[in-house]
Amino acid sequence: MNRKDCFTPRLGSVLGSALLRREKHQFAALDSCQRFARQTQDQHKTFRPETAMTSSNPYLSDVASKTGYRARLPNDNGFIDWPDQDNATWQTLMQRQLGMLEGRVCQEYLDGLEHLALPEDRIPQLGDIDRVLHAATGWQTAQVPALIPFDTFFELLANRRFPVATFIRTPEELDYLKEPDIFHEIFGHCPMLTNPAFAEFTATYGRLGLAAEPKERVYLARLYWMTVEFGLVDTPAGRRIYGGGIISSPKETLHALSDVPEHFPFDPIEALRTPYRIDILQPLYYVLDDLSRLHELSQQDIMGMVHRAMELGLHEPRFEPAPKKAAKA
C-alpha cells in the first residue's frame, strides 16, 4: 500500500498547514528510549522531591541524570520557565518527527496527538498534558529529575502517573541521547495514554511490576520493551507503529516498517523470552492484530506467563553482543 494513500483528515489537522509547506528532510538517528536497562542501576536509590533543589538555582534539580542533565523544576504555580534554547530544540524535534507520521503511526496515536494539541514552538507545561490525559483515561504525568528506580517507576504507573524527566537534549545531542528526555516522553508516549486499552495495559503493568520479584521484573521489562516502547500493530490501513521508542526516533520509524527487521505476530510469552539491546536499531518487532489485544492481555494472568517464560528460557539473541567498554587507566 502506498503510504500517501493513508493520509487522513485527522492527520492533516494535527500537522497543520505548516507541515504541508515543509520540505522533505533527511533524518539522522534519534536513538531509542533506554529506560529499563538503566533504571536497574539505581534500584536502591530513593528520589525525594524535597531534596531536589539547589541553593544556587531553586528551579534546577539537584539530581543529575546519567549524562549530566538537570531537570527544570516548576515554580510555586506549577509552571516551568523553559529557556528560549530549550524551546527551540523542542520546535526542531517536533518539526522533524511530525514529518515522519504520515502513513506510519496508528490512528489511536494520531487521535491522542490531536487531543493533546502539543505546541510546536515551545515545550508544553505538564499541567496542560495532565488535563487532557485525566479527562481521557484518568492518567497524569509525574515530574521526575532523571531516571528513577524500578520501584518508583512501577508505583507511578500503578497509580496512573507517567514519569517525565523535565529536561531536553542540547542541540549538540539532537540526534542521539543516552536517556529519555521530555520530548521522548511527551511526544512518544503521552498520545497513546489517551487510549483506554493502552492506558489500562500500562497501569496493570505497573501494578504487576510493583509486586514482582527482581528476576520477574527482568522478564516484565522485555514485555514493556516489545509493546509500549517498540510495538507495531496491524490496522485496516496497513501495519502501523504505536511504540513510543519508535515514534520519537526518525531512524527507528523508517527502520521498523522496512523489510530489514523481522516482524512476528505478538505472543506475550515469546515477547517475554526475547532479548534486546538498547543501543541498536531493533532486529525484530512484535505485531498486534489489534490494539484491543493489550486490554485483553491486561485481563489475563501475565505473571503466569512470566513464570512460563522463565521455565522455557530466553531465545538466542538476534544481534551481536554489545562491545565491551575499554578499561579505565
Side-chain angles (χ1 to χ4, degrees), residues 151-163:
D151 285 342
T152 306
F153 178 70
F154 284 125
E155 184 176 8
L156 288 171
L157 294 187
N159 288 283
R160 294 180 179 261
R161 303 285 304 281
F162 194 77

Side-chain angles (χ1 to χ4, degrees), residues 54-105:
T54 64
S55 57
S56 58
N57 187 337
Y59 300 117
L60 280 180
S61 169
D62 234 0
V63 182
S65 73
K66 292 291 183 183
T67 53
Y69 285 95
R70 293 187 181 274
R72 297 194 173 274
L73 302 173
N75 60 23
D76 292 341
N77 297 318
F79 184 87
I80 297 178
D81 187 14
W82 292 95
D84 290 343
Q85 181 60 73
D86 286 355
N87 284 323
T89 298
W90 173 273
Q91 183 174 17
T92 298
L93 292 168
M94 282 285 288
Q95 290 174 348
R96 284 157 53 120
Q97 265 320 89
L98 286 174
M100 302 293 291
L101 300 185
E102 180 182 341
R104 294 189 175 98
V105 300

